[in-house]
Amino acid sequence: MDSLISVLLIVLLIVPTAAAIVVALLGPHRRMTVRCISLVAVLLNLAITLVVLVQAVPVLWAKSGGPTFRPDYVTMVNILPLGAAGSSPIQFYIGLDGLNIWLIAVTSMLMLPSVLISWESIKERSNEYYAWLLLLQTSMSGVFLSFDLILFYVFFELTLVPLYFLIGIWGGSMRREASRKFFLYTLAGSLITLLGILAVVLICQQHSGSGMTFAIPELVRTVQGFLNSGQTAFYGLNVQTWIFLALAVGFAVKVPLFPLHTWLPLAHTEAPTAGSVLLAGVLLKVGTYGFLRLCIPLTPDAALVIGVPLIGTLASIGIIYGAMCAYAQTDIKKMVAYSSVSHLGVCMLGLFALNEAGLTGGLLQMINHALSTGALFLLVGMLYERYHTREMAQYSGMGAKLKILATFMMFVCLTSIGLPGLNGFVGEMFTFAGVFDLRAPGATGHAFAVALAIGVIMGMWYLITMILKVFFGPLREPHHDGYFVGDLNTRELFTIVPIMVLCLLIGVCPQPLIDSTKTDIGVVVRFADQARNRVMATPAQPAIVQSEPNE
Amino acid sequence: MSDAQIWLIPGLPLIGAIIAGFFGPRRMREQSHWPVILGCAGACVYATIALIRLLNSAHDVTCRISAPSYVWFSAGQLDVQYSITVDPLTAVMLFAITFIGSWIAVYSIGYLHGDPGYARFFAELGLFVFAMCMLVMADNLLLLFLGWEGVGLCSYLMIGFWFAKPSAAAAARKAFLMTRIGDAGMLLGIFLLWRHFGHTLKFTELFDNVTRAFEAAPAETQSTLTLALLLLFCGAIGKSAQFPLHTWLPDAMEGPTPASALIHAATMVTAGVYLVARCMPLYHLAPVAQATVAVIAIVTALLAALIALTQQDVKRVMAYSTISQIGYMFLALGSGRLELAVVGIAAALFHLFTHAFFKALLFLSSGSVMHAMGGVIDMRRLGGLRKVMPVTHATFLCGAASLAAIVPFSGFWSKDNIVDTTWEASHLPNQHLFYLVLFLIAMFTALLTAFYTFRAYFRTFTGDLKVPPEAAEHAHGHGHGVSYESPSVMTVPLIVLAVGAVFVGMILGPTHWLAHFLSRTPAYSFLHHQHTGMELNWAMMLASTVIALGGLGLAYVVYVRHPSAEPRFAVNHSTLYNLSQNRFYLDEIYRGIVTMPATALALLSSFLDMLVDGLVDVVGMIPSWIGAALRPIQNGLVQFYALAMVLGLTVFLCILTLRGWR
């Protein structure tokens, strides 16, 4: 069974690629065939993902932690030997663990609405469009699946290409500028990340005596070995800080962390709906995932000493600033785009609380934001398809006209606001807990907690103001040519309802999900705790009263 | 009843809401009320069974029913369970919620008959009852928060029920947002407690941990505890519409009247009182926090009563009276210092209970008037309705007498308990002046209460018959026999609630059953029990009666004998009158100091973002500038390239030679 799952993981990458090639070769005139093949490929991938989940999640529940990441269902194929004999070469090394499984699931999940929402709206060059979309899926799944640094980086950069074309060809009026800025900005950032990656690899090669390796678990083990044996001469705080900053730049641009976020609103606004959904839902998570998978484990001391105050402060600013900017927007899509800045701030704050609650919250927040914001973009896209405008001022009282869409929008906004019982709440609470329990030199959690609390208020402010402007009030449709505007059709229901069901499910019983990530989050937590022991000479203050075991 | 069956209390209304929500709009239409009414009634039955079981339980320690719990989410040290408990405090709340909720649902059949959002209304009502039950049954703070936000959502949806009306839409947003401000503080408070007192959110464990920490290190614990409790109280201020976050409640009257009655008068707005009562074992350890509760309470009670004096809309008068009465409940909790803690809780809950009856009654009666008068509720356009709406008149009078605390209506007993508690508190060591002042203000507010209540009554129901033209379609009969009375599906709930408003106090007041029952709540074993305050204070009752009758008499003199007195006062003392009528300009002040700066800040951020983006563009242009600087070199002249090569080679050779030489 295990080998079947590992094969399925490879199939997960092959299916969209193959479909992309087939679709591209079909030519621009067979729109229907192109769409159907894409849909089948996406559904097939979703089915495979479900099989993998059913098999893998119980395994993850029972998994026990080790000194480093231990992915399951591994495939390792040597690609390119580098360096002296005995070195591990660059490998095709993919696997599954608690940190990536749900991100892969979300990727497969969001592809379905992405294809469905493009069904009618993409009319020109549809074969190329779907080819790029499917290729994007390959690269996104690839990033999360990779356990080899070079493979990771290749997939990481590969995500840029399809999205560049998706925005640049099928985007709005400023698409060229948007795609160019998006491409160059993220590329520039990730080149610096590459420097950091190489630095880690080279340091490990020099000092471990076991040759060069690009395998992430191997590198993490080596680095932790250095740190725990007290060999701080070549991997002290100083070195780590530089590496941490280098790694962080690329990921921070991707996240995006304030003040590196300005590519995002433009790219989001100009991208076709599917592009926005995948950009917000998955690609931003590549950044946060990079922090979780690479930054924190490879440079734990720096993450604690520099990361917590620096990233924490930027994230806090981002939460409030993003919400402020979101409120000021008149374009609904741009508002949603800025809300991403705010929500990802919450996610980063959770991750950089560097404790179990915070990291769990950060990971949950990634999934929640993918679902909520993805759904928001979809609904905005549906509204746009009907009236061809996204200006809030053009709309009023749409709740009376588009009842289902309005109800869904309300629901999705509530998930985004973090209403208890829906998904956003769980992640937010863990983030709160993580931040309150923050233990790091040079930072107190209470300031971050206040920022979070302000975010809680402001997150609601812009969203329900949008609902007030667009869906409440006397009915006034934007000017259109008098064609019939109906409520959601069956295709659109299939697009949005699954996401809403998942939102409710995660809100009501998130524990199976949390349990499956527990072990691997635990690995990262242990790195952070060891870093705490190294960095903070004095042991952390215990709580006034220690927790009593439940009787 | 097995313990697990208490899950049915929130469960049944939820199921009803889901059925009404999914099948109502298309299939059930005008029958959509059935699942919700049955759900609420079922919940009421189970709540009553639970109440009886607790009444019969032999020991104080076992005076609770806990259902088996399930994990909600848990990781690290944050562990949240779906765990619910019914203890005396909860049982009293549950009974009030489900009983009044059921009758209001029945009333709504008539009130919303023919509304296009009929099914939606009942789905929201069911959801509300579910959330409110979860709120009072939760035995940890985050599950309580689930109910807390759930009722907030329902309140938002209900206020915005007629969302096409701009004022309703704006009021809905205002309510949701203002309560959310309090909720953010509440979350901070919850996590502060969690962080410092043993990483637990369960009430019993929290009380235990705090009490032990307090014994170990009083000073240190107290400062943290005070901060946490003040933050927690922020949530209560928002939800219970206390000063300074009270301005959303009067606007909330834009919603359908049954929703106003249930959510914005009888139940949801008392959630804050419940929260503080539930956490009383913590509050009584933090005198500063408790004093703050008392001060906020009395300020609110007085302020709201002053505003209510001049409002022209009956529903608004009732809204301000709700704010004021909830202030009284908080006053009782704030006065429950030291050994008075249980007495304070009992007084607050007693008033909460009677208030739920008489205020729901008053709202529904006003709704009945509004229904009959074609949506008009402005006192200036109404008058003498006594004759044409006899049932509504009688029930409104019962409610008004109870609100004004006239002997022997319910409100008299419970309000008397509260002022008595405050009076007793002024006898505590070191508290004389503080609580004496509170007591005097409370008495003055009682006078105002009786005055404005009967002002509304006299102006609406007595005098010459004045019926607005909008009411024409609701008239039955012709000529002298014209009647505007509402259908029986609306009047029956009015009569039921009126019976409650008249008799509940008489039964529970002199006997102190409620106080005895509440004092058996297991969590209150943390409180001191020496003084139970179960004897009647005859002098106090006399004073209360005199004051209430004084207010009534004053209203009679002003509005029946000298109807021109109010306009004359408005002209002669226009500053005072305008201050009251314009609600002390608080809405305008908030717009000036909160809304406008926040909006300006948002615009500023948005502008700043363009600057940041511009900065990035500048950085992005550096390569092209460098390119521009270097472009002249690439001039395409072969001679120039050859020259450059030769020069470069020369320099290179020079360097090599020089280095080799050295």
Side-chain angles (χ1 to χ4, degrees):
Chain A
M1 201 65 203
D2 279 12
S3 60
L4 174 68
I5 301 293
S6 16
V7 171
L8 284 182
L9 289 184
I10 302 173
V11 174
L12 215 50
L13 295 176
I14 291 175
V15 169
T17 319
I21 294 170
V22 171
V23 162
L25 293 177
L26 272 176
H29 300 299
R30 279 183 257 176
R31 186 158 158 241
M32 199 59 202
T33 326
V34 164
R35 292 190 296 197
C36 288
I37 290 178
S38 313
L39 185 62
V40 168
V42 165
L43 282 174
L44 187 62
N45 247 20
L46 191 56
I48 294 172
T49 312
L50 287 180
V51 173
V52 171
L53 281 184
V54 169
Q55 287 297 322
V57 168
V59 174
L60 288 172
W61 285 339
K63 189 175 169 181
S64 58
T68 179
F69 298 124
R70 275 190 310 117
D72 292 307
Y73 313 114
V74 168
T75 306
M76 245 193 270
V77 181
N78 294 353
I79 304 177
L80 185 66
L82 271 183
S87 297
S88 313
I90 294 172
Q91 292 167 317
F92 180 81
Y93 180 5
I94 63 170
L96 207 60
D97 71 358
L99 300 187
N100 63 8
I101 182 167
W102 294 103
L103 293 168
I104 291 160
V106 161
T107 308
S108 298
M109 163 73 214
L110 282 182
M111 278 308 287
L112 180 62
S114 299
V115 168
L116 286 177
I117 195 77
S118 312
W119 204 256
E120 299 293 341
S121 60
I122 300 300
K123 295 194 170 66
E124 288 166 15
R125 302 164 76 176
S126 63
N127 65 322
E128 293 173 49
Y129 177 86
Y130 286 103
W132 288 124
L133 205 60
L134 290 162
L135 211 57
L136 186 59
Q137 179 175 21
T138 307
S139 49
M140 292 185 306
S141 307
V143 178
F144 295 131
L145 280 172
S146 303
F147 276 87
D148 182 278
L149 267 181
I150 298 299
L151 191 68
F152 173 86
Y153 190 77
V154 168
F155 279 124
F156 185 72
E157 295 294 36
L158 197 60
T159 57
L160 295 184
V161 181
L163 205 59
Y164 174 74
F165 287 110
L166 284 176
I167 299 174
I169 299 176
W170 293 274
S173 54
M174 287 168 69
R175 55 180 180 268
R176 281 163 208 284
E177 197 199 332
S179 59
R180 192 174 55 95
K181 184 177 258 180
F182 156 73
F183 191 89
L184 289 179
Y185 208 144
T186 47
L187 184 71
S190 52
L191 284 176
I192 301 176
T193 298
L194 181 63
L195 286 181
I197 289 175
L198 293 179
V200 175
V201 169
L202 291 175
I203 289 174
C204 287
Q205 183 211 8
Q206 275 182 355
H207 297 281
S208 70
S210 63
M212 188 183 277
T213 178
F214 291 98
I216 295 172
E218 203 54 42
L219 283 168
V220 169
R221 192 205 310 277
T222 313
V223 164
Q224 293 297 329
F226 294 158
L227 292 170
N228 288 334
S229 58
Q231 290 166 304
T232 48
F234 54 87
Y235 210 69
L237 193 54
N238 206 1
V239 180
Q240 278 191 50
T241 302
W242 286 108
I243 295 177
F244 172 81
L245 291 176
L247 287 174
V249 169
F251 297 138
V253 171
K254 263 272 170 10
V255 168
L257 207 58
F258 173 88
L260 304 174
H261 65 277
T262 53
W263 60 270
L264 177 109
L266 190 63
H268 264 317
T269 323
E270 296 305 317
T273 302
S276 302
V277 171
L278 293 175
L279 184 57
V282 184
L283 283 166
L284 305 188
K285 308 309 170 306
V286 174
T288 49
Y289 177 75
F291 277 105
L292 181 60
R293 175 72 84 193
L294 296 178
C295 266
I296 299 172
L298 288 177
T299 57
D301 297 4
L304 188 70
V305 178
I306 308 297
V308 176
L310 179 72
I311 306 272
T313 308
L314 292 180
S316 303
I317 296 173
I319 291 173
I320 297 171
Y321 180 83
M324 282 280 182
C325 287
Y327 181 79
Q329 300 310 314
T330 55
D331 179 323
I332 309 177
K333 206 171 179 189
K334 215 163 187 174
M335 184 207 76
V336 180
Y338 273 108
S339 82
S340 285
V341 178
S342 187
H343 284 167
L344 268 294
V346 177
C347 178
M348 290 303 288
L349 210 49
L351 291 182
F352 274 83
L354 295 178
N355 49 37
E356 191 174 347
L359 284 162
T360 308
L363 189 57
L364 275 173
Q365 200 68 12
M366 290 187 210
I367 298 159
N368 295 338
H369 176 261
L371 296 175
S372 301
T373 309
L376 273 177
F377 275 122
L378 288 171
L379 288 169
V380 173
M382 290 172 191
L383 201 59
Y384 181 76
E385 266 183 54
R386 284 171 172 70
Y387 293 106
H388 305 291
T389 177
R390 291 188 302 252
E391 279 300 313
M392 281 186 223
Q394 299 272 323
Y395 292 95
S396 173
M398 298 311 293
K401 171 97 184 168
L402 307 170
K403 289 200 178 70
I404 301 178
L405 194 141
T407 312
F408 284 9
M409 182 65 103
M410 180 78 87
F411 181 90
V412 172
C413 284
L414 292 173
T415 69
S416 188
I417 285 167
L419 192 86
L422 298 174
N423 58 351
F425 179 71
V426 185
E428 250 174 42
M429 288 310 104
F430 276 122
T431 308
F432 259 111
V435 166
F436 263 93
D437 246 354
L438 185 83
R439 289 188 288 118
T444 54
H446 292 357
F448 296 155
V450 171
L452 261 181
I454 296 174
V456 163
I457 301 169
M458 304 226 312
M460 172 179 265
W461 188 37
Y462 58 79
L463 280 176
I464 67 166
T465 304
M466 183 273 287
I467 287 191
L468 175 71
K469 286 180 183 164
V470 176
F471 293 97
F472 287 5
L475 177 63
R476 195 185 68 240
E477 292 176 81
H479 175 75
H480 62 293
D481 302 333
Y483 50 79
F484 173 74
V485 174
D487 215 335
L488 300 192
N489 58 31
T490 316
R491 173 178 61 81
E492 288 170 321
L493 288 178
F494 273 107
T495 311
I496 189 84
V497 170
I499 301 183
M500 293 177 21
V501 171
L502 278 180
C503 286
L504 185 65
L505 216 57
I506 295 180
V508 176
C509 55
Q511 199 56 31
L513 195 158
I514 295 169
D515 281 338
S516 67
T517 63
K518 208 161 234 167
T519 311
D520 293 284
I521 292 273
V523 173
V524 183
V525 171
R526 201 162 49 251
F527 296 157
D529 282 341
Q530 285 165 353
R532 271 192 192 100
N533 293 340
R534 281 191 296 272
V535 172
M536 300 166 92
T538 51
Q541 286 185 346
I544 294 174
V545 178
Q546 286 307 317
S547 175
E548 292 292 308
N550 290 358
E551 55 260 39
Chain B
M1 187 179 77
S2 76
D3 286 357
Q5 275 172 317
I6 60 172
W7 274 111
L8 289 173
I9 299 174
L12 291 174
L14 179 66
I15 293 168
I18 291 171
I19 295 174
F22 274 99
F23 302 108
R26 294 277 164 81
R27 304 259 158 71
M28 303 169 73
R29 295 168 198 272
E30 290 293 294
Q31 302 300 318
S32 311
H33 52 266
W34 282 113
V36 174
I37 288 180
L38 290 178
C40 292
C44 186
V45 169
Y46 274 104
T48 315
I49 295 174
L51 185 72
I52 291 170
R53 209 179 110 178
L54 290 182
L55 281 170
N56 292 335
S57 85
H59 304 291
D60 284 6
V61 192
T62 56
C63 199
R64 54 185 290 171
I65 307 169
S66 296
S69 61
Y70 310 93
V71 184
W72 183 6
F73 52 88
S74 153
Q77 287 177 298
L78 184 64
D79 177 25
V80 186
Q81 307 269 332
Y82 288 115
S83 52
I84 56 173
T85 296
V86 179
D87 61 9
L89 177 62
T90 299
V92 170
M93 292 293 293
L94 276 180
F95 182 75
I97 294 160
T98 54
F99 182 78
I100 295 177
S102 303
W103 283 109
I104 289 178
V106 172
Y107 174 94
S108 310
I109 299 173
Y111 192 85
L112 280 142
H113 180 76
D115 193 286
Y118 194 75
R120 181 159 55 94
F121 179 86
F122 281 96
E124 287 165 4
L125 194 74
L127 192 64
F128 170 79
V129 175
F130 155 74
M132 195 67 205
C133 290
M134 284 307 283
L135 196 163
V136 295
M137 293 174 87
D139 86 340
N140 67 63
L141 279 163
L142 278 185
L143 193 62
L144 181 146
F145 195 73
L146 170 101
W148 190 269
E149 292 291 284
V151 292
L153 169 68
C154 292
S155 156
Y156 169 68
L157 295 174
M158 289 288 210
I159 300 170
F161 183 73
W162 290 306
F163 57 82
K165 208 163 107 192
S167 57
R173 183 184 80 138
K174 184 177 178 184
F176 212 11
L177 209 53
M178 283 191 93
T179 51
R180 185 78 165 179
I181 294 174
D183 295 349
M186 181 172 163
L187 269 181
L188 288 177
I190 289 175
F191 279 99
L192 206 60
L193 287 174
W194 173 81
R195 165 69 182 79
H196 287 281
F197 301 106
H199 293 102
T200 179
L201 290 164
K202 271 182 90 93
F203 287 117
T204 43
E205 290 172 16
L206 202 60
F207 297 160
D208 218 28
N209 288 347
V210 172
T211 311
R212 276 193 284 125
F214 191 78
E215 277 156 12
E220 202 180 326
T221 308
Q222 204 163 54
S223 56
T224 316
L225 189 63
T226 304
L227 179 63
L229 291 179
L230 288 178
L231 284 166
L232 216 55
F233 186 54
C234 283
I237 288 178
K239 195 64 86 192
S240 295
Q242 297 293 288
F243 176 81
L245 295 178
H246 66 278
T247 58
W248 64 268
L249 186 63
D251 290 9
M253 299 304 136
E254 292 291 343
T257 305
S260 305
L262 180 61
I263 300 183
H264 306 115
T267 52
M268 184 194 84
V269 286
T270 59
V273 179
Y274 168 79
L275 176 70
V276 176
R278 171 61 70 195
C279 295
M280 204 58 172
L282 304 182
Y283 275 92
H284 96 294
L285 292 176
V288 177
Q290 217 178 357
T292 312
V293 172
V295 170
I296 295 275
I298 200 71
V299 169
T300 311
L302 180 63
L303 192 80
L306 287 173
I307 296 172
L309 291 178
T310 57
Q311 299 303 308
Q312 304 293 356
D313 177 327
V314 180
K315 274 183 85 179
R316 278 193 180 252
V317 174
M318 292 309 145
Y320 280 106
S321 81
T322 305
I323 296 173
S324 182
Q325 298 306 307
I326 294 170
Y328 270 107
M329 299 173 206
F330 278 115
L331 178 66
L333 293 170
S335 304
R337 297 275 305 115
L338 306 174
E339 65 261 29
L340 286 175
V342 176
V343 179
I345 294 168
L349 262 288
F350 187 21
H351 199 49
L352 190 157
F353 196 70
T354 58
H355 176 260
F357 278 93
F358 68 72
K359 193 51 68 68
L361 172 64
L362 281 168
F363 266 106
L364 294 188
S365 304
S366 316
S368 174
V369 171
M370 201 170 163
H371 188 71
M373 296 296 130
V376 174
I377 196 68
D378 191 326
M379 286 186 250
R380 285 167 298 195
R381 300 182 56 196
L382 301 172
L385 297 182
R386 185 163 41 121
K387 299 178 195 90
V388 291
M389 302 185 72
V391 180
T392 306
H393 163 253
T395 53
F396 190 95
L397 186 59
C398 290
S402 196
L403 173 59
I406 309 288
V407 185
F409 293 89
S410 295
F412 165 76
W413 301 98
S414 52
K415 194 181 278 181
D416 181 64
N417 259 8
I418 291 175
V419 285
D420 195 26
T421 309
T422 313
W423 175 251
E424 292 283 334
S426 69
H427 290 58
L428 293 171
N430 305 326
Q431 311 285 347
H432 301 295
L433 197 58
F434 179 65
Y435 284 107
L436 195 62
V437 171
L438 295 190
F439 168 75
L440 291 175
I441 301 176
M443 284 309 236
F444 177 62
T445 307
L447 179 77
L448 296 180
T449 309
F451 179 78
Y452 68 67
T453 310
F454 276 93
R455 167 178 177 264
Y457 168 76
F458 287 132
R459 291 187 61 184
T460 312
F461 288 99
T462 63
D464 301 330
L465 182 63
K466 241 195 292 181
V467 174
E470 290 93 327
E473 57 176 301
H474 292 276
H476 320 292
H478 299 282
H480 267 297
V482 161
S483 163
Y484 291 88
E485 193 54 87
S486 298
S488 59
V489 73
M490 287 167 73
T491 50
V492 170
L494 287 180
I495 294 166
V496 171
L497 292 175
V499 170
V502 175
F503 293 107
V504 164
M506 258 185 270
I507 297 166
L508 297 178
T511 56
H512 294 292
W513 280 352
L514 192 70
H516 282 295
F517 183 51
L518 282 174
S519 68
R520 296 180 64 190
T521 304
Y524 293 157
S525 59
F526 290 98
L527 301 169
H528 303 285
H529 262 297
Q530 291 91 334
H531 190 299
T532 39
M534 300 306 178
E535 69 281 2
L536 294 172
N537 185 341
W538 293 102
M540 187 63 68
M541 285 162 75
L542 190 67
S544 299
T545 306
V546 168
I547 284 190
L549 289 176
L552 195 165
L554 202 61
Y556 181 76
V557 169
V558 174
Y559 292 101
V560 180
R561 286 297 154 98
H562 306 282
S564 62
E566 188 180 320
R568 241 183 310 132
F569 182 84
V571 174
N572 293 343
H573 303 273
S574 60
T575 320
L576 285 177
Y577 191 84
N578 286 342
L579 210 55
S580 165
Q581 182 150 42
N582 292 304
R583 309 172 296 275
F584 290 88
Y585 298 98
L586 280 174
D587 277 317
E588 287 74 13
I589 292 172
Y590 290 164
R591 194 168 306 134
I593 64 170
V594 181
T595 319
M596 273 162 45
T599 311
L601 210 59
L603 291 173
L604 186 73
S605 301
S606 180
F607 175 71
L608 200 70
D609 211 53
M610 277 183 239
L611 289 187
V612 176
D613 194 31
L615 209 66
V616 173
D617 288 340
V618 170
V619 174
M621 271 185 261
I622 290 176
S624 63
W625 288 338
I626 295 174
L630 296 179
R631 199 167 300 135
I633 301 172
Q634 302 274 354
N635 53 13
L637 293 174
V638 181
Q639 301 92 316
F640 178 78
Y641 292 161
L643 180 68
M645 274 167 67
V646 171
L647 280 176
L649 203 61
T650 319
V651 172
F652 184 59
L653 283 173
C654 286
I655 292 169
L656 276 185
T657 330
L658 289 172
R659 282 185 63 177
W661 219 43
R662 197 191 293 165

